[in-house]
Amino acid sequence: MKVDIATFGSATKDLFMRVDGNVVSVDDFVTKKGICFPLGSKVRVDEIVFTTGGGGTNSAATFSAQGFETAFIGRVGDDWAGRDVVEELTDLGVNVDYVKKERGKKTNFSVVLDLEGQDRTILVYRGASSEINKDDFPEDLESEWYYLAPFAEDSLDVFYSIIKRCRGKIAINPSKPQLKDAGFLDAIEDIDILVVNQEEAAILTGIPYDREDEIFNKIDEMYEGVFIMTKGAKGLTVSDNETIYKAKAPDSYVADRTGAGDSFSSGFVSEFMRSGDVEESIQLGIANATACLKERGAKNGLLKKGEFYQKVEIQKRKK
């Protein structure tokens, strides 16, 4: 099979629950805050919404919406949630011929607890997607690009095997276990686009996350492709080894932050596939993420090819 881009990664069924709860201080938590529900009582749920998610399928949805022939490679359980994932991907125009159903495992599942005025908390069950292995790489697959969403810690050997077998350009959004692994630096020699957040950039380089200039100088020594560091509400910084680009997302209504990273990364890669222009890729990435944030669910609101969007200011300087 020949496609424009193939995505690897997780596939999940998501349940959004708007709940009543109290936010309390908890010193043992990294965030110093937690959600408190009375033990043994019923907790009111004001709204529920079912969607699908997972880095592999979320990114595939954007690529298809942007007009690219897209295939998703991954695993779901042989259950109702897996059927929902496959049916939605098919409706979105994504090729699902390489999706495997894992008997005896349930599809990955997330429960997103949404408190009014507070950040969300996500309960995660890692199921069938964790069973992906190096034999899942299709021998008959021909793709110009490959996009690898985060892999679990116990799937690192699969991640490296896939990179070696890719016969096109590669973009990755790695997980923390991948970045911490000793073999990662050797693997990224073959990568064309690397997307991490600020904390992950610090892990990769060993430099505190607030020393941005030092991080990018270190990356230049390690890596020759396009490097993207996202910084949440503070925007992002991108390097193509010649120019540093900085941009900030516009102020906008946020219904749900789930999938914002996936929608940015896949939006950026979509435009880069089309034009190779870093500035325009930043624009589409930010616009796609902004559109996704306005609706609940990681695949809702994604921009379609040619759809109008408001551009942001981009600052740039030569290195």
Coordinates of all heavy atoms in Angstrom, one line a residue, residues 161-217:
S161 N 13.0 -0.1 16.3 CA 12.8 -1.0 15.2 C 12.0 -0.3 14.1 O 12.4 -0.4 12.9 CB 12.1 -2.3 15.6 OG 11.8 -3.1 14.5
I162 N 11.0 0.4 14.4 CA 10.2 1.1 13.5 C 11.0 2.2 12.8 O 10.9 2.3 11.5 CB 8.9 1.7 14.1 CG1 7.9 0.6 14.5 CG2 8.2 2.7 13.2 CD1 6.8 1.1 15.3
I163 N 11.8 3.0 13.5 CA 12.6 4.0 12.9 C 13.5 3.4 11.9 O 13.7 4.0 10.8 CB 13.4 4.8 14.0 CG1 12.4 5.7 14.8 CG2 14.5 5.6 13.4 CD1 13.1 6.5 15.9
K164 N 14.1 2.3 12.2 CA 15.1 1.7 11.3 C 14.4 1.2 10.0 O 15.0 1.2 8.9 CB 15.8 0.5 12.0 CG 16.8 0.9 13.0 CD 17.5 -0.3 13.7 CE 18.4 0.2 14.8 NZ 19.0 -1.0 15.4
R165 N 13.1 0.8 10.1 CA 12.4 0.3 9.0 C 11.7 1.3 8.1 O 11.2 1.0 7.0 CB 11.5 -0.8 9.4 CG 12.2 -2.0 10.1 CD 11.2 -3.0 10.8 NE 10.6 -3.8 9.8 CZ 9.7 -4.8 10.1 NH1 9.5 -5.1 11.4 NH2 9.2 -5.5 9.2
C166 N 11.6 2.5 8.6 CA 10.9 3.6 7.9 C 11.7 3.9 6.6 O 13.0 4.1 6.7 CB 10.7 4.8 8.7 SG 9.5 4.6 10.0
R167 N 11.1 4.0 5.5 CA 11.8 4.3 4.2 C 11.3 5.7 3.7 O 11.2 5.8 2.5 CB 11.5 3.2 3.2 CG 12.0 1.8 3.6 CD 11.6 0.7 2.6 NE 10.2 0.5 2.6 CZ 9.6 -0.4 3.4 NH1 10.3 -1.0 4.3 NH2 8.3 -0.6 3.3
G168 N 11.2 6.6 4.6 CA 10.8 7.9 4.2 C 11.2 8.9 5.3 O 12.0 8.6 6.1
K169 N 10.7 10.1 5.3 CA 11.0 11.1 6.3 C 10.2 10.8 7.6 O 9.1 10.2 7.5 CB 10.7 12.5 5.8 CG 11.6 12.9 4.6 CD 11.3 14.3 4.1 CE 12.3 14.6 3.0 NZ 12.1 16.0 2.5
I170 N 10.8 11.2 8.7 CA 10.2 10.8 10.0 C 10.0 12.0 10.9 O 10.9 12.8 11.1 CB 11.1 9.8 10.7 CG1 11.4 8.6 9.8 CG2 10.5 9.3 12.0 CD1 12.5 7.7 10.4
A171 N 8.8 12.1 11.5 CA 8.6 13.1 12.6 C 8.2 12.3 13.8 O 7.4 11.3 13.7 CB 7.4 14.0 12.2
I172 N 8.7 12.7 15.0 CA 8.3 12.0 16.2 C 8.0 13.0 17.3 O 8.5 14.1 17.4 CB 9.4 11.1 16.7 CG1 10.7 11.9 17.1 CG2 9.8 10.0 15.7 CD1 11.7 11.0 17.9
N173 N 7.1 12.6 18.2 CA 6.7 13.3 19.4 C 7.0 12.2 20.5 O 6.0 11.5 20.9 CB 5.3 13.7 19.4 CG 4.8 14.4 20.7 OD1 5.7 14.8 21.5 ND2 3.5 14.5 20.9
P174 N 8.2 12.2 21.1 CA 8.5 11.1 22.0 C 8.0 11.2 23.4 O 7.6 12.3 23.8 CB 10.1 11.1 22.0 CG 10.4 12.6 21.8 CD 9.3 13.1 20.8
S175 N 8.0 10.1 24.1 CA 7.6 10.1 25.5 C 8.8 10.3 26.4 O 9.9 10.2 25.9 CB 6.9 8.8 25.9 OG 7.9 7.7 25.7
K176 N 8.6 10.6 27.7 CA 9.7 10.8 28.6 C 10.6 9.6 28.7 O 11.8 9.7 28.7 CB 9.1 11.2 30.0 CG 8.6 12.6 30.0 CD 8.0 13.0 31.4 CE 7.4 14.3 31.4 NZ 6.8 14.7 32.7
P177 N 10.0 8.3 28.8 CA 10.9 7.2 28.8 C 11.8 7.0 27.6 O 12.9 6.6 27.7 CB 9.9 6.0 28.9 CG 8.7 6.6 29.6 CD 8.6 8.0 29.0
Q178 N 11.3 7.4 26.4 CA 12.1 7.4 25.2 C 13.3 8.4 25.4 O 14.4 8.1 25.0 CB 11.3 7.8 24.0 CG 10.2 6.7 23.6 CD 9.3 7.2 22.6 OE1 8.2 7.6 22.9 NE2 9.7 7.2 21.3
L179 N 13.0 9.6 25.8 CA 14.0 10.6 25.9 C 15.1 10.2 26.9 O 16.2 10.6 26.8 CB 13.4 11.9 26.3 CG 12.4 12.6 25.3 CD1 11.6 13.7 25.9 CD2 13.2 13.1 24.1
K180 N 14.7 9.5 28.0 CA 15.6 9.1 29.0 C 16.5 7.9 28.6 O 17.5 7.6 29.2 CB 14.9 8.8 30.3 CG 14.2 10.0 31.0 CD 13.5 9.6 32.2 CE 12.8 10.8 32.9 NZ 12.0 10.4 34.1
D181 N 16.1 7.2 27.6 CA 16.8 6.0 27.2 C 18.1 6.3 26.5 O 18.2 7.2 25.7 CB 15.9 5.2 26.2 CG 16.5 3.8 25.9 OD1 16.4 3.0 26.8 OD2 17.0 3.6 24.8
A182 N 19.1 5.5 26.8 CA 20.5 5.7 26.3 C 20.6 5.7 24.8 O 21.4 6.3 24.2 CB 21.4 4.7 26.9
G183 N 19.7 4.9 24.2 CA 19.8 4.7 22.7 C 19.1 5.8 21.9 O 19.2 5.9 20.7
F184 N 18.4 6.7 22.6 CA 17.6 7.7 21.9 C 18.4 8.7 21.0 O 18.0 9.0 19.9 CB 16.7 8.5 22.9 CG 15.8 9.5 22.2 CD1 14.6 9.1 21.6 CD2 16.1 10.9 22.1 CE1 13.8 10.0 21.0 CE2 15.3 11.8 21.5 CZ 14.1 11.3 20.9
L185 N 19.5 9.1 21.6 CA 20.4 10.1 20.8 C 20.9 9.5 19.5 O 21.0 10.2 18.5 CB 21.5 10.6 21.7 CG 21.1 11.4 22.9 CD1 22.4 11.8 23.7 CD2 20.4 12.7 22.4
D186 N 21.2 8.2 19.5 CA 21.6 7.6 18.2 C 20.4 7.5 17.3 O 20.6 7.7 16.0 CB 22.2 6.2 18.5 CG 23.5 6.2 19.3 OD1 24.2 7.2 19.1 OD2 23.7 5.3 20.0
A187 N 19.2 7.2 17.8 CA 18.1 7.1 16.9 C 17.7 8.4 16.2 O 17.2 8.3 15.1 CB 16.9 6.5 17.8
I188 N 17.8 9.5 16.9 CA 17.3 10.7 16.3 C 18.2 11.3 15.2 O 17.9 12.3 14.5 CB 17.1 11.9 17.3 CG1 18.5 12.3 18.0 CG2 16.1 11.4 18.4 CD1 18.3 13.5 18.9
E189 N 19.3 10.6 14.9 CA 20.1 11.0 13.7 C 19.3 10.8 12.4 O 19.5 11.5 11.4 CB 21.3 10.1 13.6 CG 22.3 10.4 14.7 CD 23.6 9.5 14.6 OE1 23.6 8.6 13.8 OE2 24.5 9.7 15.4
D190 N 18.3 10.0 12.4 CA 17.5 9.7 11.2 C 16.1 10.5 11.3 O 15.3 10.2 10.4 CB 17.2 8.2 11.1 CG 18.4 7.4 11.0 OD1 19.3 7.8 10.2 OD2 18.5 6.3 11.6
I191 N 15.9 11.3 12.2 CA 14.7 12.0 12.4 C 14.7 13.4 11.7 O 15.7 14.1 11.7 CB 14.4 12.3 13.9 CG1 14.4 10.9 14.6 CG2 13.0 13.0 14.1 CD1 13.4 9.9 14.1
D192 N 13.6 13.7 11.0 CA 13.5 15.0 10.3 C 12.8 16.1 11.2 O 13.2 17.3 11.1 CB 12.7 14.8 9.0 CG 13.4 13.9 8.1 OD1 14.3 14.4 7.4 OD2 13.1 12.7 8.1
I193 N 11.9 15.7 12.0 CA 11.2 16.7 12.9 C 11.0 16.0 14.3 O 10.5 14.9 14.4 CB 9.8 17.0 12.4 CG1 9.9 17.7 11.0 CG2 9.0 18.0 13.3 CD1 8.5 18.0 10.3
L194 N 11.5 16.8 15.3 CA 11.4 16.3 16.7 C 10.6 17.3 17.5 O 10.9 18.5 17.5 CB 12.8 16.2 17.3 CG 12.9 15.8 18.7 CD1 12.3 14.5 19.1 CD2 14.4 15.8 19.1
V195 N 9.5 16.8 18.1 CA 8.6 17.7 18.9 C 8.6 17.3 20.4 O 8.3 16.1 20.7 CB 7.2 17.7 18.4 CG1 6.3 18.7 19.1 CG2 7.1 17.9 16.9
V196 N 9.0 18.2 21.3 CA 9.0 17.9 22.7 C 8.4 19.2 23.4 O 8.4 20.3 22.8 CB 10.4 17.6 23.2 CG1 10.9 16.4 22.6 CG2 11.3 18.8 23.1
N197 N 8.0 19.0 24.7 CA 7.6 20.2 25.5 C 8.8 20.6 26.2 O 9.9 20.0 26.2 CB 6.4 19.9 26.4 CG 6.7 18.8 27.4 OD1 7.8 18.6 27.9 ND2 5.7 18.0 27.7
Q198 N 8.7 21.7 27.0 CA 9.8 22.3 27.7 C 10.5 21.4 28.7 O 11.7 21.3 28.8 CB 9.3 23.6 28.4 CG 10.4 24.6 28.7 CD 9.8 25.9 29.1 OE1 8.6 26.1 29.4 NE2 10.6 27.0 29.1
E199 N 9.7 20.7 29.4 CA 10.2 19.7 30.4 C 11.0 18.6 29.7 O 12.1 18.2 30.2 CB 9.1 19.1 31.3 CG 9.5 18.1 32.3 CD 8.4 17.5 33.0 OE1 7.2 17.8 32.7 OE2 8.7 16.6 33.9
E200 N 10.4 18.1 28.6 CA 11.1 17.0 27.9 C 12.4 17.5 27.3 O 13.4 16.8 27.2 CB 10.1 16.5 26.8 CG 8.9 15.8 27.4 CD 7.8 15.6 26.4 OE1 7.8 16.2 25.4 OE2 6.9 14.7 26.7
A201 N 12.4 18.8 26.8 CA 13.7 19.3 26.3 C 14.8 19.4 27.3 O 16.0 19.1 27.0 CB 13.4 20.7 25.7
A202 N 14.4 19.6 28.6 CA 15.3 19.7 29.7 C 15.9 18.2 29.9 O 17.1 18.0 30.2 CB 14.7 20.2 30.9
I203 N 15.0 17.2 29.9 CA 15.4 15.9 30.1 C 16.4 15.4 29.0 O 17.4 14.8 29.2 CB 14.1 14.9 30.0 CG1 13.3 15.2 31.3 CG2 14.6 13.5 30.0 CD1 11.9 14.5 31.2
L204 N 16.1 15.8 27.7 CA 16.9 15.4 26.6 C 18.3 16.0 26.7 O 19.3 15.3 26.4 CB 16.2 15.8 25.3 CG 16.9 15.5 24.0 CD1 17.2 14.0 23.8 CD2 16.2 16.0 22.8
T205 N 18.4 17.3 27.0 CA 19.7 18.0 27.0 C 20.4 18.0 28.4 O 21.6 18.2 28.4 CB 19.5 19.4 26.6 OG1 18.6 20.1 27.5 CG2 18.9 19.5 25.2
G206 N 19.7 17.7 29.5 CA 20.3 17.8 30.8 C 20.5 19.2 31.2 O 21.2 19.5 32.2
I207 N 19.7 20.2 30.6 CA 19.8 21.6 30.9 C 18.5 22.0 31.5 O 17.4 21.7 31.0 CB 20.2 22.4 29.7 CG1 21.5 22.0 29.1 CG2 20.1 23.9 30.0 CD1 21.9 22.6 27.8
P208 N 18.5 22.8 32.6 CA 17.2 23.3 33.2 C 16.3 24.0 32.1 O 16.8 24.7 31.3 CB 17.7 24.4 34.2 CG 19.1 23.9 34.6 CD 19.7 23.3 33.4
Y209 N 15.0 23.7 32.2 CA 14.1 24.1 31.1 C 14.0 25.6 30.9 O 13.6 26.0 29.8 CB 12.7 23.5 31.4 CG 11.9 24.1 32.5 CD1 11.1 25.2 32.3 CD2 12.0 23.6 33.8 CE1 10.4 25.9 33.3 CE2 11.3 24.3 34.8 CZ 10.5 25.3 34.6 OH 9.8 26.0 35.6
D210 N 14.3 26.4 31.9 CA 14.2 27.8 31.7 C 15.4 28.5 31.1 O 15.4 29.6 30.8 CB 14.0 28.5 33.1 CG 15.0 28.2 34.1 OD1 15.8 27.2 33.9 OD2 15.1 28.9 35.2
R211 N 16.4 27.6 30.8 CA 17.7 28.2 30.1 C 17.5 27.8 28.6 O 18.3 26.9 28.1 CB 18.9 27.6 30.7 CG 19.1 28.2 32.1 CD 19.9 27.4 33.1 NE 21.2 27.0 32.6 CZ 22.1 26.3 33.4 NH1 21.8 26.0 34.6 NH2 23.3 26.0 32.9
E212 N 16.6 28.5 27.9 CA 16.2 28.1 26.6 C 17.4 28.2 25.6 O 17.6 27.3 24.7 CB 15.1 29.0 26.2 CG 14.5 28.6 24.8 CD 13.2 29.3 24.5 OE1 12.2 29.3 25.3 OE2 13.2 30.0 23.5
D213 N 18.1 29.3 25.6 CA 19.2 29.4 24.7 C 20.2 28.3 24.8 O 20.7 27.8 23.8 CB 19.9 30.8 24.9 CG 19.1 32.0 24.5 OD1 18.1 31.8 23.7 OD2 19.4 33.1 24.9
E214 N 20.5 27.9 26.0 CA 21.5 26.8 26.2 C 20.9 25.5 25.7 O 21.6 24.7 25.1 CB 21.8 26.7 27.7 CG 22.6 27.8 28.2 CD 23.0 27.6 29.7 OE1 23.3 26.5 30.1 OE2 22.9 28.6 30.5
I215 N 19.6 25.3 25.8 CA 19.0 24.1 25.3 C 19.1 24.0 23.8 O 19.5 23.0 23.3 CB 17.5 24.0 25.8 CG1 17.4 23.7 27.2 CG2 16.7 23.0 24.9 CD1 15.9 23.7 27.8
F216 N 18.8 25.1 23.1 CA 18.9 25.1 21.7 C 20.3 25.0 21.2 O 20.5 24.4 20.1 CB 18.1 26.3 21.1 CG 16.7 26.1 21.0 CD1 15.8 26.2 22.1 CD2 16.1 25.7 19.8 CE1 14.5 26.0 22.0 CE2 14.7 25.4 19.7 CZ 13.9 25.6 20.8
N217 N 21.3 25.6 21.9 CA 22.7 25.4 21.5 C 23.1 23.9 21.6 O 23.8 23.4 20.7 CB 23.6 26.3 22.3 CG 23.4 27.7 22.0 OD1 23.1 28.1 20.9 ND2 23.8 28.6 23.0

